[in-house]
Amino acid sequence: MPGPWTRAAPPRLPDMKWLWVVAFVAPACAIPYNSSSRSAGGGGVCAPQHGALGTEVLLRCPAAAGGTLEWRRGDTILGTYPAPGLAIPNTSLAHQGHYSCHHPSTGDTLATICLQLGYAPASPAVECWAVSYPQVVNCSWDLVPEPLLDTSFVVTYRHSAEWGTESGECVHTGPRSCSFGNVQMFSLTPYVVNVTAVNPLGAASGHQLFLLENIIKPDPPEDLRVLPIPGETTKLLLEWRPPASWPFPKYFPLKYHIRYSWEESSITKTVGPFEQTSCTLMGVQPGTRHHVQVAAKDITDSGEFSTWSLVASGTPWMDPGQAEQGQRSLPHPAPLPHPTEGPHAPQPLADPREPPVPEGATRNSQ
């Protein structure tokens, strides 16, 4: 295997035709209101019924063979309705709750229905990243709109190799996330991750197809420090660590970009790339507090930049006498900006309107 600095850029995804056959067996799902063993007065257990929001929902009385029945919601009598049941037009979340059907003459409770409203799941929007390349792939997904009903997910992956097709389950790491390992580096065959969402109103599937090297995206660097350099009034020393989730920084090194600003200024500058985990910012504003963030990317430029790290702040070294005088004369410093991370999509880290490395900026080799 070639060294990490000589590995070629990942190839483009070849044109392929895919035939997808997704088969799954989902058990009949009936989720009661609060609990299936909940007592509902004289009608016994509350029978769950699900309906789609914004549509007409027909409530049926499970214990009635037909005929006219009295319907109530809680203690409120809604009226007497003939079979097949109580129709609720244009449902909204306000219609959720306990309904009961009764004998029209005696008022005896025949059954209690717990109505839950929501949506059948839409196709999941799947996103996968190799934050721990080359060990693990992490995937997550969203549903729009939210189903508002209990929804389960079946997640699988597939990869075709020279020795055959590998497939398996993507192990859940959260309600809407999973991960799988044992991945093959530099494969020309894409991985496929398929997510099937299932709830009482229906099922839908979504997938993502990718080459492993194209989804490399490290977590943000950690433990960023902004330090003064004794005797240097216009320099700052920056130090940080690779993300703990990046397993082999020696064999798969990262490169870094730095974004910084200073108080009482709207200017933000971006410099880099740096291949070390420290650098010296030169030509900074004397006696001024600076705010710094750092982002990481695979050194071969595969995949995307991480989001920005948390903000770290520091002030260049000041002569003790000047510092004491400055504390008496300078106004109260402006508050720190709210620390934010970069966007999920890779933000261009070098502004085309300014040079990528301002004059005086240099790397501090270790």
Side-chain angles (χ1 to χ4, degrees), residues 227-246:
L227 305 171
I229 302 174
E232 301 289 351
T233 60
T234 60
K235 297 180 182 179
L236 283 169
L237 175 63
L238 310 182
E239 297 178 343
W240 61 89
R241 292 193 306 130
S245 57
W246 193 254

Side-chain angles (χ1 to χ4, degrees), residues 40-188:
V45 174
C46 184
Q49 184 171 333
H50 303 89
L53 279 166
T55 67
E56 180 177 278
V57 173
L58 179 64
L59 295 183
R60 300 177 182 271
C61 186
T68 299
L69 298 174
E70 179 185 271
W71 284 86
R72 302 177 188 177
R73 184 178 184 187
D75 295 328
T76 303
I77 298 176
L78 301 177
T80 302
Y81 297 88
L86 173 65
I88 306 175
N90 194 25
T91 52
S92 68
L93 290 176
H95 291 110
Q96 290 192 132
H98 288 69
Y99 294 81
S100 55
C101 50
H102 303 259
H103 191 282
S105 301
T106 64
D108 292 341
T109 301
L110 302 177
T112 300
I113 296 94
C114 300
L115 177 61
Q116 291 181 296
L117 298 169
Y119 302 102
S123 295
V126 187
E127 184 177 70
C128 295
W129 296 108
V131 300
S132 299
Y133 179 85
Q135 287 188 328
V136 177
V137 170
N138 302 89
C139 299
S140 61
W141 54 91
D142 287 319
L143 297 179
V144 180
E146 280 293 325
L148 305 178
L149 298 172
D150 286 349
T151 302
S152 61
F153 301 93
V154 179
V155 192
T156 58
Y157 71 91
R158 191 178 75 176
H159 178 243
S160 297
E162 294 179 0
W163 54 86
T165 298
E166 174 192 10
S167 61
E169 178 185 0
C170 190
V171 179
H172 283 265
T173 56
R176 296 188 182 181
S177 63
C178 70
S179 66
F180 64 94
N182 242 359
V183 293
Q184 182 183 352
M185 299 167 55
F186 314 124
S187 172
L188 299 179

